[in-house]
Amino acid sequence: MICSNINTIKKTITETALRCGRDPSEITLVAVSKRMDTAKIQEAFQCGQRCFGENFVQEAREKIENLDPSIAWHFIGHLQSNKAMQAARLFTMIETVDRLKIARALNKYAAEHGKYLDILVQVNVGLENQKSGIKPEDGEKFMKDLTPLNNLKIKGLMTMPPYSPDPEKSRPHFRALKQIAAEFQQKGFFADNTSAVLSMGMTSDYIVAIEEGATLVRVGTGIFGKRT
Ligand SMILES: *Cc1c(COP(=O)(O)O)cnc(C)c1O
């Protein structure tokens, strides 16, 4: 089941990209495995899936330490500052950087270990009060504050629009994120100045996200089924 779900989603990603005149290879599927056990992740791995997303450091640690080291792990949850060091050690990319305190802790860990850590800045494009992410209006200042943190590689932006069963409701938010990324790119805020990573789209709206330029789509339920 997991394998056929992955294949179906990959096929949809390819078809959507081609329909939009995009290169399918620039879109990465992140399998969101929160609350799924290692056996399920292993099943996805055997099907060729190499990138997984987790929301909790503690929960992810056991999985990361027990599964194949070739897996790329993306942290997509809300990061607490007391977990930042551990997250920097375990994860390939932290997608949800939205506070300077967290960024500094991640940078400190990376610097102390002589490595570079890939991050995305999370933007609250929907301006929901309860949601993580910087406000678009604070974006430029935040990016400037991150500049001296030399061991962080700021690859792009991530967002999670307000939940709606109608994927079209997400479209303006995805479009807004892409617009912000284009501005930041022009200002030279990203590590790789030719292509900003845009992490947007989940099970319900990843097709719309690809139409709007997503390069990472984070799909959980569509791969593993409903979380209990
Ligand atoms: C849980 C989660 C997802 C996956 O959601 P699905 O609707 O199950 O695809 C994607 N992104 C984030 C940030 C999440 O927390």
Side-chain angles (χ1 to χ4, degrees):
M1 195 59 187
I2 289 175
C3 199
S4 68
N5 289 344
I6 289 173
N7 290 331
T8 304
I9 292 166
K10 279 191 179 157
K11 193 160 167 270
T12 307
I13 290 172
T14 301
E15 285 168 359
T16 308
L18 293 175
R19 174 163 58 75
C20 300
R22 297 186 56 194
D23 176 359
S25 72
E26 67 185 31
I27 300 155
T28 301
L29 173 63
V30 181
V32 176
S33 47
K34 63 179 171 224
R35 306 223 290 273
M36 296 299 153
D37 57 27
T38 47
K40 290 218 168 79
I41 300 172
Q42 191 60 30
E43 211 177 316
F45 179 82
Q46 263 145 18
C47 188
Q49 183 63 30
R50 290 293 178 275
C51 184
F52 292 86
E54 287 280 339
N55 291 58
F56 302 98
V57 176
Q58 220 50 44
E59 180 191 329
R61 196 180 109 180
E62 221 188 281
K63 301 177 185 178
I64 295 171
E65 287 171 351
N66 286 302
L67 288 160
D68 196 282
S70 70
I71 294 175
W73 293 94
H74 287 211
F75 186 80
I76 61 168
H78 179 74
L79 190 54
Q80 295 167 298
S81 56
N82 63 343
K83 300 273 167 61
M85 296 289 231
Q86 210 177 18
R89 176 172 70 83
L90 293 166
F91 287 87
T92 319
M93 177 185 269
I94 310 290
E95 293 200 14
T96 51
V97 175
D98 63 354
R99 279 162 298 152
L100 198 51
K101 188 179 178 190
I102 297 291
R104 286 195 178 120
L106 296 172
N107 185 65
K108 182 167 181 267
Y109 178 90
E112 282 171 6
H113 293 79
K115 65 174 203 170
Y116 294 92
L117 182 64
D118 288 346
I119 66 156
L120 301 180
V121 170
Q122 184 175 3
V123 185
N124 183 0
V125 283
L127 289 175
E128 288 175 287
N129 281 331
Q130 76 281 16
K131 211 160 253 179
S132 309
I134 58 161
K135 290 189 199 133
E137 72 210 52
D138 299 335
E140 189 165 339
K141 180 176 188 310
F142 188 69
M143 298 306 284
K144 282 182 178 156
D145 287 342
L146 295 183
T147 319
L149 306 178
N150 288 320
N151 290 73
L152 298 184
K153 283 200 169 204
I154 311 168
K155 306 289 266 187
L157 306 178
M158 177 270 201
T159 199
M160 202 170 157
Y163 177 76
S164 163
D166 176 9
E168 283 301 324
K169 292 270 194 303
S170 300
R171 192 183 296 279
H173 301 293
F174 295 153
R175 206 166 275 179
L177 192 76
K178 180 160 177 139
Q179 179 61 41
I180 296 167
E183 282 166 31
F184 287 0
Q185 197 145 350
Q186 211 170 26
K187 294 190 163 115
F189 289 146
F190 295 129
D192 178 358
N193 236 12
T194 54
S195 55
V197 171
L198 284 177
S199 175
M200 53 191 201
M202 324 201 317
T203 299
S204 59
D205 54 13
Y206 74 93
I207 295 176
V208 171
I210 292 167
E211 288 168 356
E212 296 301 328
T215 66
L216 289 181
V217 289
R218 311 177 308 266
V219 179
T221 314
I223 292 174
F224 296 106
K226 270 207 157 63
R227 292 177 289 273
T228 47

